[in-house]
Amino acid sequence: MEYKIAVIPGDGIGPEVIDETIKVLNLIGEKYSHEFNYKYVLAGGIAIDEKGTPLPGETLEICRNSDSVLLGAVGGPKWDDPTAKIRPEQALLGLRSGLGLYCNLRPAVLHSALRDASPLKDSIIGDGIDICVVRELTGGIYFGERSLVKNGDEETASDTEKYSTSEIKRIAKIAFETAMKRKKKVTLVDKANILESSRLWRRVVDEVHKDYPEVELDRQYVDNAAMQLVKNPRQFDVIVTSNIFGDILSDEASMITGSIGMLPSASLGEGTNGMYEPIHGSAPDIAGKGIANPLATILSAAMMLKYSFGLAEEAAVIEKAVEKVLEEGYRTGDIMSEGNKLVGTKEMGELVVKYIKEGK
Ligand code: NAD
């Protein structure tokens, strides 16, 4: 079977972590007789330099005509002027809206070999943490009406949290479907004691829940959820929430796993096209040094195989190889601890390849 993948290496460590990920995908293709056809395209800072825009029309067109998009990272100090009209991050927003990606899936997994990296106590971590945050991506307060009214020296600003039934329904479905493939529990996080929009979320999520009787549905206010994530993270399986709450809670969930260099993400919409990228940025402080951790991007590719191509077995093979590399004590600098073996970006990629080759 042939799969068309648009590849956006982007800026900083983006190209370095993408290189290792492509090696892993090539091996999977070889091993399972899939043909992955890559089209490399420009976005972010490099696209500003070469084409004068962070998201050239040609890039979006190629992404639209692909079966999925794999992205490294965009941005860097060269383009970081906050007053600039053209910024690398605009490429991400343009891709999300251009591809109709309204759902962000962020698994936060604490690999047992990396428990030292977590800021939480052993007694809280128990046998490990495995949470998936399902965040609404194209609605809510980030996209609602805003205003700034001046009255003499006094200024009044407002932003609007706005959601419709259909926007909530489609994200709720993804959350329940995701839970069905996991531990069958969904926690809806909202502020329904205060916000009308949250009360609508509750009604709609309750309605969608009727189609998934096997899934347990829990509801938590966002302030409580923020506490529960550090107090008892093992109670969570899938968290579904609005754009703003998801933005904050997915970062908190990532933090408790201890390493930004390990965490993948997927942005999904209708159909099977999706955008897959590590949660970290372009890490300009270590770019070009060959020391970046490629595992978050490699695990993003595993998500791509699972969610866009339906290749769950191949995805599991990658995840298992990553687990094995960690168990064997290989670490990039960001996850290094005493007694382990320090490796660079290329070596880490080659180790994953090696364990996939050796795997059954
Ligand atoms: P960052 O994630 O790039 O880096 C934060 C810290 O984590 C740095 O010390 C970095 O060295 C380290 N780090 C990140 N990824 C790593 C990896 N794979 N291996 C080892 N260490 C890693 O965040 P930042 O410094 O706030 O942002 C840098 C640039 O990236 C900015 O221009 C920002 O706008 C951009 N950014 C892009 C994305 C994206 O492309 N999706 C996301 C976040 C930030």
Side-chain angles (χ1 to χ4, degrees), residues 38-60:
Y38 313 106
K39 274 219 167 125
Y40 280 72
V41 285
L42 293 177
I46 187 171
I48 295 178
D49 287 354
E50 291 190 18
K51 304 275 180 183
T53 166
L55 183 61
E58 187 199 21
T59 296
L60 185 57

Side-chain angles (χ1 to χ4, degrees), residues 13 17 71-77 80 89 92 260-261 277-286 291-293 334:
I13 61 168
V17 293
L71 182 135
V74 298
D80 254 357
E89 294 75 17
L92 301 176
I260 195 168
E277 55 180 316
I279 70 154
H280 61 71
S282 58
D285 52 334
I286 59 165
I291 57 172
N293 186 347
D334 57 317

Side-chain angles (χ1 to χ4, degrees), residues 10-27:
D11 309 311
I13 61 168
E16 299 169 49
V17 293
I18 284 286
D19 277 356
E20 300 315 306
T21 305
I22 297 298
K23 285 182 200 161
V24 170
L25 280 174
N26 283 342
L27 176 61

Side-chain angles (χ1 to χ4, degrees), residues 288-324:
K289 295 185 179 159
I291 57 172
N293 186 347
L295 295 179
T297 314
I298 290 172
L299 290 169
S300 302
M303 288 187 86
M304 178 177 82
L305 298 182
K306 186 158 41 177
Y307 291 102
S308 279
F309 305 161
L311 303 175
E313 187 189 331
E314 289 83 336
V317 163
I318 297 178
E319 286 162 0
K320 222 170 126 191
V322 168
E323 202 63 59
K324 179 89 178 142

Side-chain angles (χ1 to χ4, degrees), residues 78-220:
K78 184 174 175 191
W79 310 278
D80 254 357
D81 174 6
T83 59
K85 282 220 166 70
I86 301 177
R87 292 174 50 81
E89 294 75 17
Q90 290 162 348
L92 301 176
L93 295 180
L95 282 163
R96 283 174 193 162
S97 61
L99 299 172
L101 307 174
Y102 56 79
C103 168
N104 188 230
L105 234 62
R106 263 172 65 166
V109 179
L110 176 59
H111 299 266
S112 54
L114 289 183
R115 47 193 314 132
D116 284 354
S118 172
L120 298 184
K121 283 186 207 151
D122 250 8
S123 58
I124 292 176
I125 296 168
D127 56 2
I129 295 169
D130 184 358
I131 301 168
C132 185
V133 180
V134 177
R135 165 189 170 193
E136 202 289 327
L137 208 54
T138 53
I141 199 162
Y142 292 175
F143 292 88
E145 270 167 45
R146 46 188 113 255
S147 74
L148 179 64
V149 180
K150 281 187 190 176
N151 191 355
D153 283 347
E154 185 77 351
E155 290 185 85
T156 307
S158 75
D159 300 275
T160 317
E161 174 82 345
K162 192 172 169 185
Y163 273 110
S164 66
T165 310
S166 52
E167 280 175 305
I168 303 167
K169 203 183 254 177
R170 63 188 189 180
I171 190 98
K173 269 191 186 165
I174 293 187
F176 285 112
E177 290 290 340
T178 307
M180 286 296 286
K181 294 180 199 133
R182 297 170 46 99
K183 285 180 252 154
K184 298 196 171 65
K185 182 175 176 188
V186 168
T187 304
L188 166 63
V189 173
D190 59 31
K191 194 71 187 167
N193 49 343
I194 296 179
L195 302 176
E196 196 57 50
S197 54
S198 285
R199 290 192 273 272
L200 181 62
W201 269 78
R202 285 213 173 184
R203 288 203 301 279
V204 176
V205 171
D206 279 349
E207 201 52 40
V208 177
H209 183 212
K210 288 180 185 157
D211 294 333
Y212 300 88
E214 282 173 65
V215 180
E216 181 194 345
L217 175 63
D218 185 20
R219 302 160 190 86
Q220 284 184 14

